Amino acid sequence: QQKVQQSPESLIVPEGGMASLNCTFSDRNSQYFWWYRQHSGEGPKALMSIFSNGDKKEGRFTAHLNKASLHVSLHIKDSQPSDSALYFCAVRRQGGRALIFGTGTTVSVSP
Amino acid sequence: EAAVTQSPRSKVAVTGGKVTLSCHQTNNHDYMYWYRQDTGHGLRLIHYSYVADSTEKGDIPDGYKASRPSQENFSLILELASLSQTAVYFCASSAGGRSQNTLYFGAGTRLSVL
């Protein structure tokens, strides 16, 4: 069964600083990856997707994918208090369109 | 943005009772999903559906049934609720075809089984 592991479990970042989140996946055939963000009391919302090896930048957020090392990461530049949330990485489930999610990283941005 | 509405937003149920969680989407999406969220486990897939009148088992289907009577509506049914089913439940939808298949989630239903 496909598995997704995230690290760290939690992270404290000073306002204006850089947050780095990591995710490793178990299936070498995985091809499609997402990062989701969930604020307290809300449902998860997609931040960005990445399907090719390398970097993908959207505003202050940069995702990096390395399929050979089974690793995907998310970097948040110039962190803001509104970035305080639970972040999930997700990979498309083999043979379908559902996603398998990691256990999440809680990011707290301190003013 | 995609609109997925869940009801109720919270519910208290008794052990052994029947619980139905409802989900309605207005995005014209073919795919719908039910996930549960527990601290330390992230989001886990319970059931999903690709088309009306058909459902599939996800990774943790035991103790749950699903129903998709129309493209817009997807329900999760707990016939005999148990304490271990206390969790937050999320419904999601996604487009079919050659889309990226980003999932759009509702706001969740917090279920407490006593």
Side-chain angles (χ1 to χ4, degrees), chain A residues 1 34 36 38 41-46 49 51 56 86 88 92-93 95-103, chain B residues 9 31 33 35 37 40-43 45 48 50 58-59 90 95-97 99-103 105-107:
Chain A
Q1 188 178 17
W34 281 260
Y36 277 76
Q38 183 182 26
E42 299 179 3
K45 290 181 182 175
S49 59
F51 302 156
K56 181 179 181 182
L86 180 58
F88 293 105
R92 182 182 286 187
R93 199 167 179 256
R97 285 177 165 264
L99 298 183
I100 297 175
F101 286 81
T103 52
Chain B
R9 288 298 314 278
Y31 300 88
Y33 314 84
Y35 286 85
Q37 184 174 24
H41 288 281
L43 292 154
L45 181 66
Y48 58 100
Y50 293 155
D59 298 321
F90 289 98
S99 71
Q100 282 195 355
N101 199 60
T102 295
L103 268 60
F105 284 85

Side-chain angles (χ1 to χ4, degrees), chain A:
Chain A
Q1 188 178 17
Q2 288 174 276
K3 292 189 177 179
V4 179
Q5 290 186 299
Q6 286 187 245
S7 64
E9 281 190 21
S10 62
L11 185 60
I12 299 174
V13 185
E15 186 173 354
M18 171 80 83
S20 294
L21 290 68
N22 297 291
C23 183
T24 56
F25 46 96
S26 62
D27 188 342
R28 200 164 288 279
N29 295 316
S30 298
Q31 295 196 33
Y32 306 104
F33 305 87
W34 281 260
W35 284 98
Y36 277 76
R37 181 166 74 178
Q38 183 182 26
H39 286 109
S40 182
E42 299 179 3
K45 290 181 182 175
L47 262 180
M48 60 192 302
S49 59
I50 184 165
F51 302 156
S52 302
N53 282 329
D55 291 338
K56 181 179 181 182
K57 184 179 179 182
E58 292 189 1
R60 297 184 293 109
F61 300 88
T62 300
H64 176 79
L65 175 61
N66 184 329
K67 293 182 184 179
S69 61
L70 306 176
H71 182 258
V72 61
S73 59
L74 179 70
H75 305 277
I76 307 172
K77 180 183 170 183
D78 187 24
S79 295
Q80 302 297 308
S82 59
D83 294 328
S84 295
L86 180 58
Y87 289 77
F88 293 105
C89 67
V91 60
R92 182 182 286 187
R93 199 167 179 256
Q94 290 299 339
R97 285 177 165 264
L99 298 183
I100 297 175
F101 286 81
T103 52
T105 294
T106 300
V107 174
S108 301
V109 180
S110 59

